[in-house]
Amino acid sequence: MSTSQVTSKGLSSEEAGKLMEQYGPNEIIEKRVSPFLLFLKNFWGFVAWMLEITLIVELFFGKFLNAEIIAFLLIFNAVLGFIHEQKAQSTVELLKKKLQVKARVLRDNNWAMMPARELVPGDYVRLRMGDFAPADMEIVEGNIDVDQSALTGESLPVERVPKDTVYSGSVIKRGEASGTITATGSKSYFGKMAELIKLAKVPSQAEMLIISIVKYLLIMDGILVVAIVIFAAVVGIPMDEMIPFALILIIASIPVALPPVFTLSNAIGSMALSKEGALTTRLSAIQDSAAMEILCSDKTGTLTLNKLTLSTVRPHGDFTETDLLKMASIASEEATMDAIDEVILNRTKEMSVSIPNKTKFIPFDPATKRSEARYEEDGKHYVAIKGSPLIIEEFDSSINWEKESEEFAKKGERTIAVLGGEEGSVIKFYGLLGLSDPPRLDSKDVISKLKDLNVNVKMLTGDNPATALHISEKLGINGVICDYNGLKKKGKVELKPDVLNCAVYAGIFPEDKYNLVRALQKEGKEVIGMTGDGVNDAPALKQAQVGIAVSNATDVAKAAASLVLTNPGLSGVEVAVETGRRVYQRLFSYISNKIVKTIQIGFFLALGILVFKKFDATPLIILLLIFTNDFVTMSLSTDNVRYSKKPNKWNIKELMGISLAFGIGWLVYILGVYLWAWKILDLPSNSGTLYSLVFLGLVYSGHANIFMVRERSHFWHSMPSLTLLITEAGGLTLATLMVVFGWLVAPVPLILVFYMIVISFISMVVLDFVKVPILKKFAQ
């Protein structure tokens, strides 16, 4: 409904009913996903598709044992992913609980209290001090001050008079007003923010990484499979033997355990963060925190306290600070619950200043821009006045208040003028008070630590450039100050590199934060973090890879964020970065180990067909390796690691190149084991004992590689976690017992097992000296 259609007479129940059918209830409708669909979602994805196709083919060829193993892998991945997604969703649902707001509405010419969700455009409502604005409203009568910091980021209350709009979600701090509802639900300012939140989406690092790794590995093994199939057709190897073998080769290249490893690693990181005062609502944010290069931080309520402080007391002429504060306190009233009155009265109490009893008090009136009080002292009657510096001219035009007020503004302070004197006599100017929203005590320290971690912190604020500069200097944010509002007045802001390089964005509006985050992501492809506390921050929090809601944030901001801090301040951000980088180091160890094993196994199997013209391993052995290697190595999620001082971004090409070097080293090892068993031990090429030695060699080299790649220096320089040691010992013991006692494979004499242990250890030491110069840069 347009403002031209609003009426001050309210609506009838019949009119309201028709408008309700047209506009719907005054609420934001959220689409909920059933738990069943969330579970099925885990069977949809690149890795899941590959396993499902292989499962169908294995069943078609009657390979039921192989099919059962693959089915178990699918279900295991789905259950683990579902459990952690449910935990995250439960956290979000808890954060979304809101109070039921009621409103005073004129219906059928009678005033009544009714739920805010029943409001429609055209309703006439009354707002009083302490109320929440239930919808967007155009004021018809009355003057009020509203706190809309949760919506627009303004730290101080703003004045609203007839024809002005009060946004839904604002808090009435002073005065009373009546007006007509102009927008409800998703059409309101609050609702548009919620719709913008729904549009905001950015793929996680985990999703892109898994797809990239699988793509590279499938291309590599795909080439090998094509070569093997063509060669088999030429030499006459039956296709019913080759196709299942080719599929198993492809399965060996799929990082089957990578999705649960990601989930488990991030879940462990999430638990560690919760102990440090940060709740994770999206597990992938742990990994994204490791790669975060830029942190865009809202100022009000995030870097600052969002609490008025009396920062400057400047008496005029011969008056003292005590005189000034005494007169300001007389013109204040505790019962008004006004933030300005409260901070002045608290300072006066601290100084033990005696305040005479008031005979009359007139609360702040936005029309006159002042509050007044009458009091009696020594048998005489006096008046005390405080308000906007503009009122000074009314009593003494000779005072040059503009210059002083400008100095206050440069320091980010709101200026209050104080006057007083005997009734009927000259009213004197007592001086100015400066009120500010000071930085949090820990903000500067956290920003400094984030800089040490090579995270570039940018401040976003609606303040003017002078105020923004003053605050940024206090916080230690150095760099170019951009007047975003000034740029917009000149025309559309072009977010070019010179604008994106600003350290502080002043005069920035709510929708600008969302656009700025998107521009930063697009321009430099950086991983962006965003901190905030208000509804106005929510779209940007949702769009950023790492959206961080501070402890005093609104429910909407918390629901949009991927990390919610429970302790005051930003210390949780620093912990999130360090935790994310530890998780990265663990995942790097797992992924590089997986790629190394894929290269080793893929080329080993391919060479068996192309060079030796026979299978040098069985499909069952490859599937057993997935359990004895891939799933056992999930314990890397708990490993003791050091975090990097630089953002950790995945470079797949570089990772593949490093892993190729290690993979070739272990390929030489397993070929040596095969030739040793075949030529020196004179075992038949198709004997079960030879296959068992190959299986043991692949298991031992896999576990040796884990201890080698987990440490960027030599493997003995750091102690693995107890969980990793126990799990690795269990995996090695199980594989050894399998070949000693002949479980699912042919038995092997103990002496040969001993030889395999010695050969594997020597190979690990040799490769470790090759590894150190290659991986050294990952320890930075």
Side-chain angles (χ1 to χ4, degrees):
M1 178 174 286
S2 66
T3 55
S4 62
Q5 295 175 290
V6 300
T7 173
S8 61
K9 297 179 181 179
L11 300 172
S12 66
S13 297
E14 183 180 351
E15 290 172 326
K18 291 179 180 179
L19 289 168
M20 178 65 76
E21 292 180 5
Q22 179 181 352
Y23 293 100
N26 179 34
E27 60 185 5
I28 309 300
I29 306 299
E30 295 183 20
K31 186 178 179 181
R32 299 182 182 277
V33 181
S34 71
F36 181 68
L37 291 177
L38 280 177
F39 179 70
L40 291 182
K41 176 186 169 186
N42 291 282
F43 292 95
W44 187 264
F46 201 68
V47 173
W49 295 335
M50 296 302 302
L51 290 174
E52 287 156 2
I53 292 170
T54 307
L55 174 62
I56 294 170
V57 174
E58 292 290 358
L59 289 172
F60 178 80
F61 283 101
K63 308 289 185 178
F64 297 112
L65 179 59
N66 294 354
E68 289 172 5
I69 294 173
I70 295 169
F72 173 81
L73 298 178
L74 269 168
I75 295 171
F76 181 85
N77 281 358
V79 170
L80 189 62
F82 174 72
I83 289 172
H84 289 290
E85 283 295 329
Q86 277 291 92
K87 286 182 179 178
Q89 190 178 60
S90 297
T91 302
V92 174
E93 290 301 321
L94 180 64
L95 295 172
K96 287 181 179 178
K97 289 183 178 179
K98 301 176 179 67
L99 295 173
Q100 288 292 326
V101 177
K102 291 191 175 184
R104 301 175 191 85
V105 186
L106 184 63
R107 286 275 179 92
D108 300 316
N109 292 320
N110 291 312
W111 288 98
M113 293 291 292
M114 63 173 55
R117 71 181 304 275
E118 296 179 15
L119 293 178
V120 293
D123 265 325
Y124 194 69
V125 302
R126 182 72 172 173
L127 297 178
R128 296 175 180 172
M129 187 176 69
D131 287 348
F132 283 89
D136 287 359
M137 181 188 93
E138 181 184 295
I139 295 179
V140 175
E141 56 182 338
N143 297 329
I144 55 177
D145 279 4
V146 299
D147 177 0
Q148 53 187 32
S149 60
L151 294 164
T152 63
E154 298 165 282
S155 57
L156 297 174
V158 294
E159 181 184 349
R160 289 291 178 260
V161 297
K163 294 189 178 181
D164 284 345
T165 297
V166 178
Y167 295 130
S168 59
S170 301
V171 181
I172 312 307
K173 302 298 289 184
R174 185 158 43 189
E176 293 189 13
S178 298
T180 307
I181 299 300
T182 57
T184 60
S186 61
K187 301 297 182 183
S188 68
Y189 185 90
F190 181 98
K192 289 175 181 177
M193 284 290 177
E195 292 300 314
L196 195 57
I197 293 170
K198 293 178 183 178
L199 294 174
K201 180 172 175 60
V202 63
S204 72
Q205 294 285 299
E207 292 171 355
M208 296 186 288
L209 177 64
I210 291 173
I211 292 173
S212 297
I213 291 171
V214 172
K215 179 185 72 174
Y216 275 101
L217 294 180
L218 283 179
I219 289 173
M220 182 189 73
D221 273 4
I223 294 171
L224 292 176
V225 166
V226 170
I228 289 172
V229 170
I230 293 174
F231 182 81
V234 172
V235 301
I237 299 176
M239 283 297 107
D240 61 340
E241 293 182 20
M242 280 303 307
I243 291 178
F245 189 83
L247 286 171
I248 292 299
L249 180 58
I250 291 176
I251 281 203
S253 69
I254 299 174
V256 177
L258 186 54
V261 164
F262 256 97
T263 303
L264 185 59
S265 297
N266 289 329
I268 292 172
S270 178
M271 291 173 62
L273 272 180
S274 66
K275 296 176 182 177
E276 298 292 336
L279 299 178
T280 309
T281 61
R282 180 166 54 84
L283 286 179
S284 58
I286 301 291
Q287 185 58 209
D288 292 332
S289 298
M292 185 171 69
E293 297 159 284
I294 295 175
L295 177 65
C296 296
S297 180
D298 175 55
K299 177 187 76 76
T300 305
T302 304
L303 295 174
T304 64
L305 293 170
N306 195 19
K307 181 180 180 181
L308 281 182
T309 299
L310 184 56
S311 48
T312 301
V313 178
R314 183 176 294 179
H316 177 73
D318 295 330
F319 292 113
T320 65
E321 287 191 8
T322 301
D323 296 332
L324 175 57
L325 287 169
K326 176 180 178 179
M327 195 59 63
S329 296
I330 295 171
S332 303
E333 181 63 52
E334 191 172 6
T336 63
M337 298 180 68
D338 178 77
I340 295 175
D341 287 7
E342 183 181 348
V343 72
I344 292 172
L345 291 169
N346 286 341
R347 176 66 68 86
T348 307
K349 289 178 183 177
E350 291 173 5
M351 297 178 64
S352 300
V353 178
S354 177
I355 306 298
N357 293 326
K358 292 185 278 284
T359 57
K360 184 179 181 181
F361 179 74
I362 303 173
F364 181 86
D365 184 348
T368 61
K369 300 184 183 300
R370 72 181 71 164
S371 63
E372 296 184 30
R374 302 289 190 275
Y375 67 98
E376 186 177 340
E377 196 171 50
D378 298 328
K380 296 181 180 180
H381 297 277
Y382 295 89
V383 61
I385 303 170
K386 80 174 194 311
S388 167
L390 291 169
I391 66 174
I392 298 173
E393 292 183 353
E394 183 180 337
F395 298 97
D396 190 346
S397 58
S398 65
I399 304 296
N400 185 15
W401 60 269
E402 292 95 338
K403 184 178 180 181
E404 287 189 85
S405 184
E406 186 178 337
E407 291 177 11
F408 280 56
K410 287 181 179 179
K411 295 190 294 180
E413 297 177 345
R414 178 173 178 173
T415 312
I416 302 294
V418 180
L419 303 98
E422 188 175 354
E423 284 190 77
S425 183
V426 176
I427 301 299
K428 299 176 181 179
F429 174 49
Y430 273 66
L432 297 174
L433 301 176
L435 302 170
S436 63
D437 177 18
R440 291 183 179 276
L441 295 177
D442 66 333
S443 291
K444 184 174 182 179
D445 183 52
V446 172
I447 290 170
S448 176
K449 290 178 179 177
L450 287 172
K451 286 181 179 179
D452 290 340
L453 291 168
N454 286 279
V455 176
N456 182 13
V457 180
K458 297 177 181 288
M459 187 178 82
L460 281 54
T461 176
D463 292 329
N464 60 57
T467 301
L469 174 62
H470 178 73
I471 296 295
S472 66
E473 288 176 344
K474 282 190 172 183
L475 294 170
I477 300 177
N478 304 314
V480 179
I481 310 293
C482 290
D483 182 2
Y484 204 93
N485 191 31
L487 292 171
K488 288 182 71 174
K489 288 179 180 178
K490 296 178 182 178
K492 184 178 179 182
V493 178
E494 295 186 20
L495 294 170
K496 294 181 179 179
D498 58 332
V499 177
L500 295 177
N501 287 332
C502 298
V504 177
Y505 295 90
I508 196 164
F509 289 102
E511 62 272 17
D512 298 329
K513 298 177 183 179
Y514 170 75
N515 294 330
L516 180 61
V517 169
R518 289 191 65 188
L520 288 168
Q521 289 168 333
K522 182 178 179 181
E523 179 66 31
K525 298 182 180 179
E526 285 99 346
V527 176
I528 307 299
M530 173 74 197
T531 70
D533 68 331
V535 174
N536 64 305
D537 301 316
L541 290 173
K542 183 72 177 292
Q543 178 63 32
Q545 289 97 330
V546 189
I548 305 164
V550 294
S551 61
N552 60 334
T554 62
D555 289 335
V556 176
K558 290 177 179 178
S562 49
L563 287 173
V564 179
L565 306 183
T566 58
N567 296 328
L570 289 177
S571 59
V573 180
E574 172 200 350
V575 176
V577 171
E578 293 172 355
T579 301
R581 292 182 187 180
R582 284 193 179 96
V583 170
Y584 168 88
Q585 296 298 330
R586 292 164 184 155
L587 287 172
F588 179 87
S589 299
Y590 175 84
I591 293 170
S592 61
N593 179 69
K594 175 60 185 175
I595 297 173
V596 167
K597 297 309 297 177
T598 300
I599 292 170
Q600 179 196 30
I601 294 171
F603 280 92
F604 177 62
L605 296 177
L607 288 174
I609 298 294
L610 299 175
V611 177
F612 306 126
K613 298 181 177 57
K614 57 191 174 185
F615 299 118
D616 46 18
T618 65
L620 179 60
I621 282 178
I622 303 304
L623 286 173
L624 289 175
L625 281 172
I626 292 176
F627 283 97
T628 56
N629 272 13
D630 284 22
F631 280 93
V632 169
T633 54
M634 287 177 66
S635 57
L636 279 167
S637 304
T638 67
D639 194 20
N640 295 324
V641 293
R642 298 181 296 274
Y643 61 83
S644 168
K645 284 292 185 179
K646 293 182 179 179
N648 296 138
K649 295 184 72 174
W650 293 100
N651 187 325
I652 303 302
K653 290 183 179 179
E654 188 177 71
L655 180 62
M656 291 295 295
I658 292 169
S659 301
L660 179 63
F662 298 159
I664 291 173
W666 286 116
L667 174 63
V668 171
Y669 157 86
I670 196 63
L671 283 173
V673 169
Y674 183 81
L675 292 173
W676 168 66
W678 182 23
K679 297 299 184 180
I680 297 177
L681 298 180
D682 201 26
L683 296 174
S685 60
N686 59 351
S687 72
T689 304
L690 187 145
Y691 286 147
S692 294
L693 284 173
V694 167
F695 168 69
L696 203 58
L698 291 172
V699 170
Y700 284 175
S701 62
H703 287 269
N705 190 66
I706 290 169
F707 288 104
M708 191 180 77
V709 300
R710 62 163 296 276
E711 170 58 56
R712 305 301 173 249
S713 184
H714 292 294
F715 68 86
W716 59 82
H717 278 192
S718 67
M719 178 64 69
S721 68
L722 182 61
T723 302
L724 178 60
L725 284 173
I726 293 173
T727 308
E728 289 295 305
L732 288 168
T733 301
L734 177 62
T736 302
L737 292 175
M738 286 174 66
V739 297
V740 170
F741 292 102
W743 299 337
L744 298 177
V745 294
V748 172
L750 276 173
I751 187 63
L752 294 183
V753 173
F754 174 75
Y755 288 155
M756 288 297 301
I757 293 173
V758 174
I759 293 170
S760 301
F761 182 77
I762 293 173
S763 300
M764 180 181 70
V765 173
V766 171
L767 284 174
D768 190 69
F769 278 92
V770 176
K771 171 211 74 177
V772 171
I774 297 176
L775 285 187
K776 193 171 184 180
K777 61 180 174 180
F778 286 95
Q780 295 177 355

